[in-house]
Amino acid sequence: MKIPTPLVLILLFCLQSAPAISGAAVRCNPQDKKVLLQIKKDLGNPYHLSSWNTQIQKDCCDWYSLDCDLKTNRVIALTIFQSNLSGQIPPSVGDLSYLQQIVFHKLPNLVGTIPQTITKLTHLTRLDVSWTNISGPIPDFISQLNNLNTLDLSFNYLTGNIPSSLSELTNLNYLNLHGNKLTGSIPDSFGTFKGNPDLYLILSHNQLTGNVPKSLADLKLTKLDFSRNNLQGDISFFFEPDKEIQIADFSRNMFQFDLTKVVFPKALTSLDINHNNIYGSLPQGLTFLNLQFLNVSYNRLCGQIPVGGQLQSFETTVYFHNRCLCGAPLPACK
Ligand SMILES: *[C@@H]1O[C@H](CO)[C@@H](O)[C@H](O)[C@H]1NC(C)=O
Ligand SMILES: *[C@@H]1O[C@H](CO)[C@@H](O)[C@H](O)[C@H]1NC(C)=O
Ligand SMILES: *[C@@H]1O[C@H](CO)[C@@H](O)[C@H](O)[C@H]1NC(C)=O
């Protein structure tokens, strides 16, 4: 027998709202509850999720590590952190259809890779799998999560190249890949992140090589951290007077260019370029900036430190180990 669609909808509506009508305060959606119990099972019933138990806590919206939407009562956030639970990210996570946020943080025994089932989560805005033991490459399919604005995969054991498809995430405004074992170069495509004027790009502490693609000059980056890689070449294109960069860390790479004629953007408040092969002298323009942090140590710079601005208020370690920088706060020039 074929039941007419409106009738099915009415039936479903009654089923869903029945507990509310009968006065029982259980908000939990039965489908979500089923998936959550599957996730718990897939993770080996960890102690961390012991409240995920209808005997202990009837309403799954009150279970530990979860948030439900106040109107729809669907599970919208799964936030599991600081636990010794072990195993892989359960593929069943992809069945929490209304999820907007996944956080798996500080889980040293979480291993394996990111499951493809997360591509079913079309509402996902934040994916944070950080300080875990997941490994393997960053999957290409992450680029299908169109609504993602935060992608944090820092402090894991990820290997391989950064997928160029990540630039298809047009809503992304925070990308953190710090502290993995990523290799290869920064994708050319990264110059085409669209619709995100305030992208914060963190690629530090990996094994990235090659030149930084010039296309990145087209982005409106305000904060970036490329430190502790094996990147090389000239990055002075990040510093043009009309750029919006505020915080830049290029330290501990192999960048090599003449600093003398670089004109820094007015917004720059923090610049770290220590441990590179940067040569020339410190430009006078540094004295016009409102710098809160500077470190140009361990390069091949020469000449007098310009007088003015904050430049004399920094300690000597900001300037030491260069070829022949001199003047306050270093010893006077000869
Ligand atoms: C995990 O932590 C819980 C609570 O701190 C503890 O009872 C349990 O023994 C731990 N399990 C392992 C395998 O360390
Ligand atoms: C995490 O992975 C690293 C590298 O593969 C390994 O040395 C370490 O023992 C792993 N830690 C745990 C808790 O599995
Ligand atoms: C500047 O960087 C060098 C090299 O990493 C470090 O030794 C020094 O302490 C830093 N100075 C400041 C003020 O951060």
Side-chain angles (χ1 to χ4, degrees), residues 97-111:
S97 325
Y98 289 77
L99 265 192
Q100 293 167 19
Q101 286 197 30
I102 296 180
V103 178
F104 287 112
H105 179 66
K106 292 207 172 165
L107 306 173
N109 299 316
L110 189 73
V111 295

Side-chain angles (χ1 to χ4, degrees), residues 47-48 83-86 109:
Y47 174 82
H48 193 81
S83 159
N84 59 8
L85 62 77
S86 63
N109 299 316

Side-chain angles (χ1 to χ4, degrees), residues 252 274-275 293 295 297-298 315 317-318 320:
R252 294 181 190 259
N274 85 71
H275 280 280
F293 182 89
N295 200 329
S297 64
Y298 292 91
E315 53 179 288
T317 62
V318 162
F320 72 169

Side-chain angles (χ1 to χ4, degrees), residues 160-296:
N161 292 351
I162 300 174
S164 59
S165 60
L166 289 186
S167 68
E168 288 160 29
L169 293 168
T170 50
N171 290 302
L172 204 64
N173 51 40
Y174 182 85
L175 175 60
N176 188 351
L177 305 178
H178 174 99
N180 283 284
K181 296 170 181 296
L182 300 169
T183 51
S185 48
I186 299 172
D188 258 326
S189 65
F190 272 28
T192 60
F193 278 100
K194 287 183 211 105
N196 46 356
D198 205 7
L199 183 66
Y200 189 173
L201 187 57
I202 306 170
L203 306 177
S204 43
H205 232 299
N206 280 290
Q207 294 155 18
L208 301 174
T209 51
N211 289 303
V212 175
K214 277 226 164 66
S215 59
L216 266 68
D218 298 335
L219 292 176
K220 288 186 180 172
L221 295 168
T222 54
K223 296 179 199 155
L224 63 85
D225 187 352
F226 292 174
S227 64
R228 292 177 192 260
N229 280 290
N230 298 313
L231 297 163
Q232 61 185 51
D234 187 350
I235 40 146
S236 56
F237 60 82
F238 280 111
F239 305 119
E240 305 277 335
D242 61 337
K243 292 266 179 287
E244 291 165 49
I245 200 146
Q246 293 163 15
I247 298 175
D249 191 347
F250 293 105
S251 63
R252 294 181 190 259
N253 278 284
M254 303 186 299
F255 293 122
Q256 186 166 14
F257 60 96
D258 185 352
L259 198 64
T260 314
K261 293 217 167 69
V262 171
V263 181
F264 291 101
K266 275 208 177 65
L268 192 68
T269 57
S270 174
L271 176 66
D272 197 344
I273 51 173
N274 85 71
H275 280 280
N276 281 287
N277 293 315
I278 298 165
Y279 55 92
S281 56
L282 290 177
Q284 190 67 36
L286 281 174
T287 63
F288 305 134
L289 301 177
N290 187 17
L291 281 177
Q292 277 144 37
F293 182 89
L294 178 72
N295 200 329
V296 301

